[in-house]
Amino acid sequence: MAIVKKTPEQIDKMRAAGDILVRTLQLVERKIRPGVTTKELDTAAEKFIRSQGATPAFKGYRGFPGSLCTSPNSMVVHGIPGPYALRKGDVLSVDCGVILDGWVADAARTFAVGSISSTARKLLDTTAASLLHAAEQCRVGNRLGDVSHAVQEVVEAQGLSVVRSLVGHGIGRDMHEDPQIPNYGPAGKGIKLEEGMVFAIEPMVTTGRHAVRMGEDHWSIYSQDGSLAAHFEFTIAITADGPSILTPWHEAAA
Ligand code: MG
Ligand code: MG
């Protein structure tokens, strides 16, 4: 396993890609309402990303047709944008990657379509909280297991399940670099975190059990038991000053 560390200048380039990504997610958030199709969201996102002189990282990645992954309800990740029209009460996970000047940023969040059930609200709030808790662990001297464990701790305390067969990853010039970052596991184990490492941390959580299955399109991944799923992701740099979130969608007013 070779982890490619980034200089502060390179991290700034990733932050610039991340800024476009945050604004893309804001654009998507403004468009989400009952009746809008996931394809319409994807078209708007791609247009915006290209208008900023950037490239959608997902489009064409291993043949993926969209600029966004749009995954409603029991779909966990990797949904292909299409004719599905959002309905009031849905949750929709939107994952996006942006390449600017050769550097990649990757982030996701799950949106509510109108008012949602209290179970769905707990799922979204808990998954986002687990990501923020994990982000806090991205410090020099901590170990990778501290990050993984932070997610699991927050999620399982609420009686929800961490998807185990999908992981976060290092990121930089390539969207998927070493190391793999599970969302569960013991604290205090794994590699030591060092300045210049950049991670995409992405808890995927269900209201049921953790097992998942692949859809018939060979992209979409669903909870096996049909329970609701959420997916939140940041690209985060480990700096001398602590964690630096390069895709701070949580700070941006929509
Ligand atoms: Mg992603
Ligand atoms: Mg990712």
Side-chain angles (χ1 to χ4, degrees):
M1 183 169 69
I3 298 177
V4 183
K5 291 191 275 185
K6 285 80 186 177
T7 66
E9 292 73 24
Q10 291 172 332
I11 288 170
D12 281 343
K13 290 189 172 188
M14 295 183 72
R15 193 187 311 280
D19 178 65
I20 294 168
L21 207 169
V22 169
R23 288 188 286 135
T24 305
L25 290 175
Q26 287 178 299
L27 174 79
V28 168
E29 183 173 26
R30 286 196 299 270
K31 288 188 172 295
I32 283 179
R33 62 179 177 279
V36 73
T37 67
T38 53
K39 179 65 186 170
E40 289 174 293
L41 299 176
D42 185 67
T43 300
E46 179 175 2
K47 189 176 170 197
F48 176 74
I49 292 166
R50 294 194 190 282
S51 79
Q52 301 301 302
T55 307
F58 296 176
K59 189 119 186 175
Y61 184 84
R62 297 182 182 164
F64 190 79
S67 297
L68 302 174
C69 294
T70 51
S71 308
N73 299 325
S74 68
M75 199 188 290
V76 184
V77 286
H78 302 167
I80 298 173
Y84 181 79
L86 299 180
R87 290 181 291 199
K88 184 168 173 284
D90 281 353
V91 299
L92 179 72
S93 296
V94 177
D95 192 353
C96 184
V98 167
I99 306 170
L100 182 67
D101 198 16
W103 293 92
V104 189
D106 185 9
R109 61 182 293 194
T110 302
F111 296 99
V113 183
S115 60
I116 55 175
S117 70
S118 58
T119 303
R121 175 48 59 193
K122 183 172 93 165
L123 172 69
L124 269 53
D125 290 349
T126 302
T127 310
S130 76
L131 174 58
L132 286 163
H133 189 46
E136 271 302 305
Q137 311 308 315
C138 293
R139 295 179 183 280
V140 174
N142 274 359
R143 289 183 181 270
L144 194 61
D146 298 324
V147 177
S148 301
H149 185 73
V151 173
Q152 183 179 19
E153 192 174 40
V154 171
V155 169
E156 293 184 353
Q158 296 299 322
L160 303 171
S161 294
V162 168
V163 172
R164 299 186 171 216
S165 55
L166 298 160
V167 296
H169 48 92
I171 184 169
R173 286 192 183 277
D174 290 317
M175 185 155 64
H176 295 121
E177 300 184 354
D178 287 334
Q180 293 198 347
I181 307 173
N183 292 303
Y184 69 98
K189 303 283 188 187
I191 57 155
K192 274 194 170 167
L193 305 188
E194 296 173 25
E195 184 180 346
M197 291 179 177
V198 185
F199 296 156
I201 299 173
E202 47 183 316
M204 289 153 270
V205 175
T206 76
T207 58
R209 297 178 63 82
H210 69 72
V212 295
R213 66 171 177 87
M214 184 170 279
E216 287 178 357
D217 60 15
H218 295 281
W219 275 108
S220 50
I221 305 283
Y222 295 84
S223 64
Q224 197 169 71
D225 59 11
S227 59
L228 281 183
H231 177 214
F232 287 79
E233 179 179 28
F234 285 142
T235 296
I236 302 177
I238 294 162
T239 77
D241 300 324
S244 181
I245 297 171
L246 307 182
T247 55
W249 47 256
H250 61 308
E251 293 173 354

